[in-house]
Amino acid sequence: MTRTAFAAGFVLIGAALAAPVVAQVPPRQLGTALVAALAVAAVVGLCGDAWHSLTRCYELIRGDGPGARRRIVRRWYAPGSTVWRADPKPWHGPLAVLGWVADPACRVPWALVYDGTPSTCGGAALWLPLDELAPHPTSPRPVPGFEVVV
């Protein structure tokens, strides 16, 4: 509430200082300035959306060795990718990545994955840490009716 009150106070002070100047500007120039400001805001918003879209699927990786350049590579856990459970968990088939999040409070990013099975609880999508996922199958696919006895 205090922050909102301070923000409202600063907005009112700014409006009071800008009102005499804005009153002297012809309406046509004021309209042109408003349209230009809105166009700049739209371009900044489009650039931000494009950046967000690119960083969801791609990342900038530093090359090896001295003087190495950075390169852009696709994230293996990008939305739309297929991943599998890693070794600590049994292999259950491919999982589709729906999204991911890299919260600074977490040690590793987490991915929202879906196994394609319907659920009565509103969906079978679940969040898993990237430690539990792999870009390729980590164990052989189980063959129905075939069991290895050692």
Side-chain angles (χ1 to χ4, degrees), residues 2-128:
T2 305
R3 287 184 187 174
T4 305
F6 276 119
F10 282 120
V11 166
L12 290 174
I13 290 171
L17 293 175
V21 175
V22 171
Q24 299 299 320
V25 176
R28 184 176 177 142
Q29 289 179 349
L30 194 59
T32 303
L34 180 64
V35 168
L38 290 174
V40 167
V43 167
V44 167
L46 286 174
C47 290
D49 289 345
W51 179 256
H52 178 68
S53 167
L54 284 172
T55 56
R56 284 188 68 202
C57 295
Y58 298 96
E59 63 184 324
L60 195 61
I61 293 186
R62 187 175 184 166
D64 297 331
R69 295 183 179 195
R70 295 184 180 265
R71 58 191 169 99
I72 299 173
V73 295
R74 182 168 168 78
R75 295 181 191 271
W76 61 267
Y77 51 91
S81 300
T82 302
V83 295
W84 285 263
R85 286 279 183 117
D87 284 329
K89 302 287 182 181
W91 190 88
H92 290 295
L95 302 168
V97 178
L98 302 177
W100 64 275
V101 65
D103 190 339
C106 298
R107 188 176 50 85
V108 295
W110 286 59
L112 180 64
V113 295
Y114 179 67
D115 62 359
T117 59
S119 175
T120 58
C121 298
L126 66 145
W127 287 98
L128 292 173

